[in-house]
Amino acid sequence: MGDAEVAKLLRRGEGWLEAHPEQAWIASRYLKRRRPLVRQALAQLAPEEDSTDGNGTPEAKESAPERPMRLHDQRLAAVMQVVAEHKPERVLDLGCGEGKLLRLLLRESTAAHILGMDVAHRSLERAKERLQLDRLPERQRDRLRLLHGSLLYRDARLGGFDLAAVVEVIEHLDPPRLAAFERTVFAYARPKTVVVTTPNREYNALFPSLPAGTMRHPDHRFEWTRAEFQAWAEGLAEAHSYAVTFSPIGPVDATHGAPTQMAIFTQIAEGQTR
């Protein structure tokens, strides 16, 4: 089971798999649930288009040192694999940007209610245009709602979701504001599952176009090492009764790890133990 099986899946799925509503589930079953291979397949199935980060900044700027590896697509594929495994009915995309993850979520038949939230009006307008909401069948259109809002303030509209995705967003927040984000998502909204991705600072040394000591995007307020991210996530999980697991995204270097790190928080029901 390796790259050859991914290529075989893509050949056999040509013309139908890229638009199939159970795309992630099919890829996961065919590739024996081997996460790196599933992510690789889903990344290649994802349509090529520009995207934005959670603050409405064009993602193309951020991905400049990453573009040869198409890391943005690999991040989305990793999130969609978690969605395929958990099969949430209500899904929240926090910092949805121009809607690339929302497009993939619409392919998941189990996601009956999808909410995309962003702080930038412009990004939400672009998402509406790119997703062609006005042209979608009524049944599809009713599944998706776009919401203008901030991750830093309590919002009753964010409650009751099965899964929330926070993809390349936290590094755009000033460190003193992280506590507000934590309360908004983990104390008030409390999705059953939360997926958070963020750059791994250690991997920056492997980007030849990135000067030493600089961050991947001018709007990043910080970039964490693997140890820093793990310590933050474990402390957050402990404080709010979640269990947390970690997964690398992208090619893994023995010394520097993977370019993107992902934490999957799962809410602990009352009476359960970690």
Side-chain angles (χ1 to χ4, degrees), residues 99-256:
K100 191 167 185 180
L101 180 60
L102 296 175
R103 183 190 298 278
L104 298 177
L105 288 169
L106 282 171
R107 299 177 184 176
E108 288 292 317
S109 59
T110 57
H113 305 282
I114 304 166
L115 176 62
M117 190 184 83
D118 203 278
V119 72
H121 280 291
R122 175 181 171 276
S123 293
L124 294 174
E125 287 299 320
R126 289 277 287 168
K128 184 178 179 181
E129 293 171 4
R130 292 194 172 203
L131 295 168
Q132 297 184 324
L133 290 187
D134 295 337
R135 301 181 185 179
L136 287 177
E138 184 177 357
R139 185 176 177 182
Q140 281 284 80
R141 189 168 60 247
D142 289 345
R143 295 171 60 203
L144 176 63
R145 186 158 64 106
L146 298 177
L147 174 66
H148 178 253
S150 171
L151 295 175
L152 304 181
Y153 301 101
R154 183 173 182 174
D155 193 327
R157 296 171 294 180
L158 304 183
F161 282 85
D162 300 309
L163 185 144
V166 189
V167 181
E168 305 299 287
V169 171
I170 61 171
E171 63 273 9
H172 293 271
L173 303 175
D174 290 318
R177 294 189 172 189
L178 273 177
F181 160 79
E182 295 165 9
R183 288 193 299 271
T184 297
V185 177
F186 291 89
Y188 302 140
R190 291 193 61 78
K192 294 178 182 176
T193 302
V194 184
V195 184
V196 178
T197 78
T198 193
N200 167 24
R201 188 178 76 208
E202 296 164 83
Y203 201 89
N204 290 355
L206 300 183
F207 290 124
S209 61
L210 197 62
T214 59
M215 290 187 276
R216 298 186 199 177
H217 188 275
D219 190 54
H220 284 186
R221 303 303 199 264
F222 63 87
E223 288 177 359
W224 278 330
T225 65
R226 287 168 289 173
E228 289 169 334
F229 181 58
Q230 184 169 336
W232 172 79
E234 289 177 345
L236 187 57
E238 180 69 26
H240 296 284
S241 298
Y242 281 80
V244 62
T245 58
F246 301 92
S247 182
I249 300 176
V252 177
D253 177 79
T255 302
H256 302 90

Side-chain angles (χ1 to χ4, degrees), residues 41-83:
L42 294 178
Q44 294 183 61
L45 287 166
E48 286 282 6
E49 59 181 82
D50 292 336
S51 185
T52 62
D53 59 40
N55 289 322
T57 306
E59 209 278 336
K61 293 181 181 177
E62 181 165 359
S63 65
E66 307 173 353
R67 193 172 294 117
M69 292 182 287
R70 296 177 59 188
L71 278 184
H72 186 65
D73 289 333
Q74 292 183 51
R75 294 179 196 121
L76 299 186
V79 173
M80 290 307 299
Q81 185 177 346
V82 178
V83 171

Side-chain angles (χ1 to χ4, degrees), residues 1-11 31 36-37 40-41 44:
M1 184 62 67
D3 292 345
E5 288 301 316
V6 174
K8 188 185 297 183
L9 171 66
L10 297 177
R11 286 198 306 272
L31 297 168
L37 297 179
Q40 181 181 337
Q44 294 183 61

Side-chain angles (χ1 to χ4, degrees), residues 15-29:
W16 62 272
L17 184 55
E18 63 271 13
H20 197 285
E22 296 287 353
Q23 176 195 92
W25 182 84
I26 292 169
S28 181
R29 287 293 299 272

